[in-house]
mmCIF file of all heavy atoms in Angstrom:
data_model
loop_
_atom_site.group_PDB
_atom_site.id
_atom_site.type_symbol
_atom_site.label_atom_id
_atom_site.label_comp_id
_atom_site.label_asym_id
_atom_site.label_seq_id
_atom_site.Cartn_x
_atom_site.Cartn_y
_atom_site.Cartn_z
ATOM 1 N N ALA L 939 20.738 26.614 -5.899
ATOM 2 C CA ALA L 939 20.821 25.830 -7.137
ATOM 3 C C ALA L 939 19.692 24.800 -7.230
ATOM 4 O O ALA L 939 18.997 24.714 -8.247
ATOM 5 C CB ALA L 939 22.184 25.132 -7.206
ATOM 6 N N PHE L 940 19.491 24.034 -6.154
ATOM 7 C CA PHE L 940 18.466 22.981 -6.153
ATOM 8 C C PHE L 940 17.064 23.568 -6.331
ATOM 9 O O PHE L 940 16.266 23.055 -7.118
ATOM 10 C CB PHE L 940 18.525 22.187 -4.853
ATOM 11 C CG PHE L 940 19.488 21.036 -4.892
ATOM 12 C CD1 PHE L 940 20.770 21.176 -4.400
ATOM 13 C CD2 PHE L 940 19.116 19.823 -5.428
ATOM 14 C CE1 PHE L 940 21.667 20.120 -4.433
ATOM 15 C CE2 PHE L 940 20.005 18.754 -5.472
ATOM 16 C CZ PHE L 940 21.287 18.908 -4.979
ATOM 17 N N ASN L 941 16.767 24.614 -5.590
ATOM 18 C CA ASN L 941 15.407 25.162 -5.643
ATOM 19 C C ASN L 941 15.138 25.958 -6.916
ATOM 20 O O ASN L 941 14.000 26.003 -7.378
ATOM 21 C CB ASN L 941 15.165 26.043 -4.406
ATOM 22 C CG ASN L 941 15.061 25.226 -3.139
ATOM 23 O OD1 ASN L 941 14.126 24.466 -2.934
ATOM 24 N ND2 ASN L 941 16.051 25.351 -2.264
ATOM 25 N N GLY L 942 16.182 26.569 -7.471
ATOM 26 C CA GLY L 942 16.004 27.227 -8.769
ATOM 27 C C GLY L 942 15.672 26.210 -9.852
ATOM 28 O O GLY L 942 14.788 26.430 -10.691
ATOM 29 N N PHE L 943 16.359 25.055 -9.810
ATOM 30 C CA PHE L 943 16.107 23.977 -10.762
ATOM 31 C C PHE L 943 14.709 23.392 -10.556
ATOM 32 O O PHE L 943 13.975 23.135 -11.517
ATOM 33 C CB PHE L 943 17.170 22.894 -10.596
ATOM 34 C CG PHE L 943 17.058 21.756 -11.563
ATOM 35 C CD1 PHE L 943 17.332 21.943 -12.904
ATOM 36 C CD2 PHE L 943 16.659 20.494 -11.144
ATOM 37 C CE1 PHE L 943 17.229 20.883 -13.807
ATOM 38 C CE2 PHE L 943 16.548 19.439 -12.029
ATOM 39 C CZ PHE L 943 16.838 19.633 -13.369
ATOM 40 N N ALA L 944 14.314 23.203 -9.281
ATOM 41 C CA ALA L 944 12.982 22.658 -8.983
ATOM 42 C C ALA L 944 11.884 23.620 -9.419
ATOM 43 O O ALA L 944 10.813 23.194 -9.869
ATOM 44 C CB ALA L 944 12.861 22.374 -7.488
ATOM 45 N N GLY L 945 12.138 24.923 -9.275
ATOM 46 C CA GLY L 945 11.158 25.909 -9.728
ATOM 47 C C GLY L 945 10.910 25.810 -11.221
ATOM 48 O O GLY L 945 9.767 25.926 -11.687
ATOM 49 N N LYS L 946 11.993 25.565 -11.996
ATOM 50 C CA LYS L 946 11.855 25.398 -13.448
ATOM 51 C C LYS L 946 11.031 24.156 -13.769
ATOM 52 O O LYS L 946 10.165 24.177 -14.661
ATOM 53 C CB LYS L 946 13.257 25.291 -14.055
ATOM 54 C CG LYS L 946 13.299 24.955 -15.531
ATOM 55 C CD LYS L 946 12.697 26.057 -16.386
ATOM 56 C CE LYS L 946 12.851 25.726 -17.874
ATOM 57 N NZ LYS L 946 12.094 26.659 -18.736
ATOM 58 N N ILE L 947 11.278 23.051 -13.028
ATOM 59 C CA ILE L 947 10.520 21.812 -13.253
ATOM 60 C C ILE L 947 9.037 22.028 -12.972
ATOM 61 O O ILE L 947 8.170 21.599 -13.744
ATOM 62 C CB ILE L 947 11.070 20.677 -12.367
ATOM 63 C CG1 ILE L 947 12.478 20.285 -12.811
ATOM 64 C CG2 ILE L 947 10.154 19.459 -12.405
ATOM 65 C CD1 ILE L 947 13.150 19.274 -11.903
ATOM 66 N N CYS L 948 8.737 22.704 -11.859
ATOM 67 C CA CYS L 948 7.334 22.946 -11.492
ATOM 68 C C CYS L 948 6.640 23.832 -12.518
ATOM 69 O O CYS L 948 5.454 23.643 -12.823
ATOM 70 C CB CYS L 948 7.261 23.592 -10.105
ATOM 71 S SG CYS L 948 7.807 22.509 -8.778
ATOM 72 N N TYR L 949 7.375 24.798 -13.040
ATOM 73 C CA TYR L 949 6.788 25.683 -14.062
ATOM 74 C C TYR L 949 6.496 24.907 -15.346
ATOM 75 O O TYR L 949 5.427 25.057 -15.953
ATOM 76 C CB TYR L 949 7.756 26.838 -14.339
ATOM 77 C CG TYR L 949 7.235 27.837 -15.338
ATOM 78 C CD1 TYR L 949 6.302 28.812 -14.966
ATOM 79 C CD2 TYR L 949 7.669 27.807 -16.663
ATOM 80 C CE1 TYR L 949 5.817 29.728 -15.889
ATOM 81 C CE2 TYR L 949 7.193 28.711 -17.598
ATOM 82 C CZ TYR L 949 6.258 29.668 -17.197
ATOM 83 O OH TYR L 949 5.776 30.570 -18.114
ATOM 84 N N ASP L 950 7.436 24.038 -15.752
ATOM 85 C CA ASP L 950 7.243 23.257 -16.984
ATOM 86 C C ASP L 950 6.205 22.156 -16.815
ATOM 87 O O ASP L 950 5.674 21.655 -17.808
ATOM 88 C CB ASP L 950 8.569 22.635 -17.419
ATOM 89 C CG ASP L 950 9.526 23.667 -18.007
ATOM 90 O OD1 ASP L 950 9.075 24.802 -18.254
ATOM 91 O OD2 ASP L 950 10.716 23.343 -18.197
ATOM 92 N N SER L 951 5.922 21.748 -15.567
ATOM 93 C CA SER L 951 4.947 20.676 -15.362
ATOM 94 C C SER L 951 3.528 21.121 -15.724
ATOM 95 O O SER L 951 2.633 20.278 -15.866
ATOM 96 C CB SER L 951 4.983 20.212 -13.907
ATOM 97 O OG SER L 951 4.550 21.245 -13.045
ATOM 98 N N LEU L 952 3.298 22.416 -15.887
ATOM 99 C CA LEU L 952 1.990 22.908 -16.324
ATOM 100 C C LEU L 952 1.732 22.559 -17.783
ATOM 101 O O LEU L 952 0.583 22.537 -18.233
ATOM 102 C CB LEU L 952 1.902 24.431 -16.127
ATOM 103 C CG LEU L 952 2.025 24.930 -14.673
ATOM 104 C CD1 LEU L 952 2.126 26.446 -14.630
ATOM 105 C CD2 LEU L 952 0.842 24.456 -13.843
ATOM 106 N N ASP L 953 2.811 22.293 -18.522
ATOM 107 C CA ASP L 953 2.697 21.907 -19.938
ATOM 108 C C ASP L 953 3.217 20.479 -20.086
ATOM 109 O O ASP L 953 4.407 20.230 -19.896
ATOM 110 C CB ASP L 953 3.532 22.862 -20.798
ATOM 111 C CG ASP L 953 3.381 22.579 -22.287
ATOM 112 O OD1 ASP L 953 2.734 21.580 -22.638
ATOM 113 O OD2 ASP L 953 3.916 23.365 -23.087
ATOM 114 N N PRO L 954 2.346 19.489 -20.403
ATOM 115 C CA PRO L 954 2.777 18.083 -20.497
ATOM 116 C C PRO L 954 3.931 17.872 -21.470
ATOM 117 O O PRO L 954 4.797 17.030 -21.234
ATOM 118 C CB PRO L 954 1.518 17.350 -20.971
ATOM 119 C CG PRO L 954 0.389 18.227 -20.521
ATOM 120 C CD PRO L 954 0.889 19.631 -20.611
ATOM 121 N N ALA L 955 3.963 18.644 -22.561
ATOM 122 C CA ALA L 955 5.027 18.484 -23.558
ATOM 123 C C ALA L 955 6.383 18.895 -22.974
ATOM 124 O O ALA L 955 7.401 18.231 -23.190
ATOM 125 C CB ALA L 955 4.714 19.323 -24.796
ATOM 126 N N LYS L 956 6.404 19.983 -22.216
ATOM 127 C CA LYS L 956 7.648 20.450 -21.588
ATOM 128 C C LYS L 956 8.070 19.542 -20.433
ATOM 129 O O LYS L 956 9.262 19.333 -20.197
ATOM 130 C CB LYS L 956 7.486 21.880 -21.086
ATOM 131 C CG LYS L 956 7.402 22.916 -22.185
ATOM 132 C CD LYS L 956 7.295 24.316 -21.587
ATOM 133 C CE LYS L 956 7.241 25.384 -22.662
ATOM 134 N NZ LYS L 956 7.116 26.744 -22.075
ATOM 135 N N PHE L 957 7.060 19.009 -19.727
ATOM 136 C CA PHE L 957 7.370 18.182 -18.565
ATOM 137 C C PHE L 957 7.995 16.846 -18.972
ATOM 138 O O PHE L 957 8.766 16.255 -18.198
ATOM 139 C CB PHE L 957 6.092 17.924 -17.756
ATOM 140 C CG PHE L 957 6.303 17.061 -16.551
ATOM 141 C CD1 PHE L 957 6.950 17.550 -15.420
ATOM 142 C CD2 PHE L 957 5.881 15.732 -16.550
ATOM 143 C CE1 PHE L 957 7.157 16.741 -14.321
ATOM 144 C CE2 PHE L 957 6.087 14.914 -15.439
ATOM 145 C CZ PHE L 957 6.722 15.430 -14.319
ATOM 146 N N ALA L 958 7.712 16.379 -20.179
ATOM 147 C CA ALA L 958 8.185 15.065 -20.627
ATOM 148 C C ALA L 958 9.716 14.971 -20.581
ATOM 149 O O ALA L 958 10.277 13.921 -20.268
ATOM 150 C CB ALA L 958 7.691 14.790 -22.041
ATOM 151 N N LYS L 959 10.401 16.081 -20.886
ATOM 152 C CA LYS L 959 11.880 16.030 -20.910
ATOM 153 C C LYS L 959 12.484 15.916 -19.509
ATOM 154 O O LYS L 959 13.641 15.527 -19.360
ATOM 155 C CB LYS L 959 12.432 17.273 -21.611
ATOM 156 C CG LYS L 959 12.137 18.580 -20.903
ATOM 157 C CD LYS L 959 12.697 19.767 -21.663
ATOM 158 C CE LYS L 959 12.401 21.070 -20.934
ATOM 159 N NZ LYS L 959 12.925 22.240 -21.664
ATOM 160 N N TRP L 960 11.685 16.283 -18.472
ATOM 161 C CA TRP L 960 12.201 16.220 -17.100
ATOM 162 C C TRP L 960 11.953 14.871 -16.428
ATOM 163 O O TRP L 960 12.529 14.588 -15.377
ATOM 164 C CB TRP L 960 11.558 17.315 -16.238
ATOM 165 C CG TRP L 960 11.842 18.721 -16.680
ATOM 166 C CD1 TRP L 960 10.944 19.637 -17.127
ATOM 167 C CD2 TRP L 960 13.118 19.364 -16.705
ATOM 168 N NE1 TRP L 960 11.552 20.812 -17.439
ATOM 169 C CE2 TRP L 960 12.899 20.680 -17.180
ATOM 170 C CE3 TRP L 960 14.407 18.962 -16.390
ATOM 171 C CZ2 TRP L 960 13.931 21.592 -17.352
ATOM 172 C CZ3 TRP L 960 15.445 19.865 -16.542
ATOM 173 C CH2 TRP L 960 15.203 21.160 -17.019
ATOM 174 N N LYS L 961 11.080 14.051 -17.007
ATOM 175 C CA LYS L 961 10.697 12.788 -16.357
ATOM 176 C C LYS L 961 11.887 11.895 -16.001
ATOM 177 O O LYS L 961 11.968 11.387 -14.884
ATOM 178 C CB LYS L 961 9.710 12.015 -17.251
ATOM 179 C CG LYS L 961 8.269 12.454 -17.071
ATOM 180 C CD LYS L 961 7.344 11.535 -17.850
ATOM 181 C CE LYS L 961 5.883 11.931 -17.611
ATOM 182 N NZ LYS L 961 4.966 11.018 -18.337
ATOM 183 N N PRO L 962 12.845 11.675 -16.919
ATOM 184 C CA PRO L 962 13.964 10.781 -16.556
ATOM 185 C C PRO L 962 14.853 11.332 -15.437
ATOM 186 O O PRO L 962 15.562 10.574 -14.778
ATOM 187 C CB PRO L 962 14.764 10.670 -17.871
ATOM 188 C CG PRO L 962 13.838 11.138 -18.940
ATOM 189 C CD PRO L 962 12.930 12.126 -18.315
ATOM 190 N N LEU L 963 14.826 12.654 -15.233
ATOM 191 C CA LEU L 963 15.718 13.276 -14.248
ATOM 192 C C LEU L 963 15.111 13.407 -12.856
ATOM 193 O O LEU L 963 15.832 13.681 -11.895
ATOM 194 C CB LEU L 963 16.123 14.686 -14.732
ATOM 195 C CG LEU L 963 16.903 14.765 -16.047
ATOM 196 C CD1 LEU L 963 17.095 16.212 -16.450
ATOM 197 C CD2 LEU L 963 18.256 14.080 -15.902
ATOM 198 N N LEU L 964 13.786 13.213 -12.758
ATOM 199 C CA LEU L 964 13.122 13.524 -11.493
ATOM 200 C C LEU L 964 13.506 12.579 -10.358
ATOM 201 O O LEU L 964 13.731 13.026 -9.226
ATOM 202 C CB LEU L 964 11.601 13.524 -11.685
ATOM 203 C CG LEU L 964 11.031 14.883 -12.114
ATOM 204 C CD1 LEU L 964 9.563 14.773 -12.450
ATOM 205 C CD2 LEU L 964 11.239 15.924 -11.024
ATOM 206 N N LYS L 965 13.600 11.282 -10.648
ATOM 207 C CA LYS L 965 13.960 10.344 -9.577
ATOM 208 C C LYS L 965 15.367 10.597 -9.029
ATOM 209 O O LYS L 965 15.557 10.688 -7.812
ATOM 210 C CB LYS L 965 13.816 8.898 -10.061
ATOM 211 C CG LYS L 965 12.379 8.407 -10.031
ATOM 212 C CD LYS L 965 12.302 6.922 -10.329
ATOM 213 C CE LYS L 965 10.858 6.427 -10.225
ATOM 214 N NZ LYS L 965 10.755 4.978 -10.530
ATOM 215 N N PRO L 966 16.382 10.736 -9.908
ATOM 216 C CA PRO L 966 17.716 11.079 -9.382
ATOM 217 C C PRO L 966 17.737 12.420 -8.658
ATOM 218 O O PRO L 966 18.420 12.576 -7.639
ATOM 219 C CB PRO L 966 18.594 11.124 -10.639
ATOM 220 C CG PRO L 966 17.873 10.329 -11.657
ATOM 221 C CD PRO L 966 16.422 10.482 -11.354
ATOM 222 N N TYR L 967 16.953 13.378 -9.187
ATOM 223 C CA TYR L 967 16.924 14.692 -8.554
ATOM 224 C C TYR L 967 16.317 14.619 -7.148
ATOM 225 O O TYR L 967 16.835 15.227 -6.206
ATOM 226 C CB TYR L 967 16.116 15.669 -9.418
ATOM 227 C CG TYR L 967 15.912 17.007 -8.762
ATOM 228 C CD1 TYR L 967 16.948 17.930 -8.679
ATOM 229 C CD2 TYR L 967 14.682 17.342 -8.196
ATOM 230 C CE1 TYR L 967 16.769 19.149 -8.051
ATOM 231 C CE2 TYR L 967 14.495 18.552 -7.578
ATOM 232 C CZ TYR L 967 15.542 19.459 -7.505
ATOM 233 O OH TYR L 967 15.359 20.660 -6.876
ATOM 234 N N LEU L 968 15.243 13.847 -6.995
ATOM 235 C CA LEU L 968 14.610 13.693 -5.680
ATOM 236 C C LEU L 968 15.540 12.971 -4.701
ATOM 237 O O LEU L 968 15.555 13.278 -3.507
ATOM 238 C CB LEU L 968 13.285 12.942 -5.819
ATOM 239 C CG LEU L 968 12.125 13.759 -6.406
ATOM 240 C CD1 LEU L 968 10.972 12.845 -6.792
ATOM 241 C CD2 LEU L 968 11.648 14.820 -5.434
ATOM 242 N N ALA L 969 16.319 12.014 -5.220
ATOM 243 C CA ALA L 969 17.300 11.324 -4.359
ATOM 244 C C ALA L 969 18.362 12.322 -3.873
ATOM 245 O O ALA L 969 18.753 12.309 -2.693
ATOM 246 C CB ALA L 969 17.954 10.185 -5.123
ATOM 247 N N LEU L 970 18.814 13.205 -4.777
ATOM 248 C CA LEU L 970 19.779 14.233 -4.384
ATOM 249 C C LEU L 970 19.172 15.212 -3.379
ATOM 250 O O LEU L 970 19.850 15.654 -2.445
ATOM 251 C CB LEU L 970 20.265 14.996 -5.626
ATOM 252 C CG LEU L 970 21.228 14.246 -6.553
ATOM 253 C CD1 LEU L 970 21.503 15.071 -7.800
ATOM 254 C CD2 LEU L 970 22.529 13.941 -5.834
ATOM 255 N N CYS L 971 17.895 15.535 -3.574
ATOM 256 C CA CYS L 971 17.201 16.421 -2.627
ATOM 257 C C CYS L 971 17.141 15.795 -1.238
ATOM 258 O O CYS L 971 17.295 16.495 -0.223
ATOM 259 C CB CYS L 971 15.781 16.708 -3.117
ATOM 260 S SG CYS L 971 15.704 17.925 -4.435
ATOM 261 N N PHE L 972 16.906 14.493 -1.196
ATOM 262 C CA PHE L 972 16.848 13.786 0.093
ATOM 263 C C PHE L 972 18.199 13.865 0.806
ATOM 264 O O PHE L 972 18.275 14.160 2.006
ATOM 265 C CB PHE L 972 16.441 12.336 -0.149
ATOM 266 C CG PHE L 972 16.290 11.527 1.113
ATOM 267 C CD1 PHE L 972 15.229 11.742 1.977
ATOM 268 C CD2 PHE L 972 17.243 10.564 1.447
ATOM 269 C CE1 PHE L 972 15.100 11.012 3.155
ATOM 270 C CE2 PHE L 972 17.118 9.827 2.617
ATOM 271 C CZ PHE L 972 16.048 10.055 3.470
ATOM 272 N N ILE L 973 19.288 13.629 0.061
ATOM 273 C CA ILE L 973 20.640 13.715 0.632
ATOM 274 C C ILE L 973 20.925 15.153 1.088
ATOM 275 O O ILE L 973 21.489 15.392 2.162
ATOM 276 C CB ILE L 973 21.688 13.253 -0.389
ATOM 277 C CG1 ILE L 973 21.490 11.770 -0.706
ATOM 278 C CG2 ILE L 973 23.104 13.501 0.120
ATOM 279 C CD1 ILE L 973 22.297 11.272 -1.883
ATOM 280 N N PHE L 974 20.501 16.114 0.275
ATOM 281 C CA PHE L 974 20.707 17.526 0.593
ATOM 282 C C PHE L 974 19.991 17.912 1.893
ATOM 283 O O PHE L 974 20.540 18.631 2.732
ATOM 284 C CB PHE L 974 20.203 18.381 -0.574
ATOM 285 C CG PHE L 974 20.164 19.859 -0.284
ATOM 286 C CD1 PHE L 974 21.337 20.572 -0.076
ATOM 287 C CD2 PHE L 974 18.953 20.532 -0.226
ATOM 288 C CE1 PHE L 974 21.291 21.936 0.191
ATOM 289 C CE2 PHE L 974 18.907 21.883 0.039
ATOM 290 C CZ PHE L 974 20.081 22.588 0.242
ATOM 291 N N ASN L 975 18.779 17.386 2.075
ATOM 292 C CA ASN L 975 18.028 17.696 3.295
ATOM 293 C C ASN L 975 18.660 17.056 4.534
ATOM 294 O O ASN L 975 18.622 17.626 5.620
ATOM 295 C CB ASN L 975 16.575 17.240 3.147
ATOM 296 C CG ASN L 975 15.749 18.208 2.339
ATOM 297 O OD1 ASN L 975 15.683 19.387 2.644
ATOM 298 N ND2 ASN L 975 15.134 17.731 1.276
ATOM 299 N N ILE L 976 19.247 15.890 4.360
ATOM 300 C CA ILE L 976 19.983 15.265 5.471
ATOM 301 C C ILE L 976 21.162 16.145 5.862
ATOM 302 O O ILE L 976 21.442 16.375 7.050
ATOM 303 C CB ILE L 976 20.456 13.847 5.083
ATOM 304 C CG1 ILE L 976 19.258 12.905 4.954
ATOM 305 C CG2 ILE L 976 21.440 13.299 6.119
ATOM 306 C CD1 ILE L 976 19.603 11.530 4.437
#
Side-chain angles (χ1 to χ4, degrees):
F940 272 96
N941 290 292
F943 183 69
K946 173 65 176 171
I947 293 174
C948 293
Y949 182 79
D950 287 349
S951 66
L952 298 172
D953 184 354
K956 289 182 179 179
F957 179 73
K959 64 181 180 181
W960 298 116
K961 276 187 177 182
L963 298 174
L964 271 173
K965 280 188 177 179
Y967 174 75
L968 285 167
L970 287 174
C971 282
F972 183 71
I973 295 169
F974 171 66
N975 281 305
I976 291 174

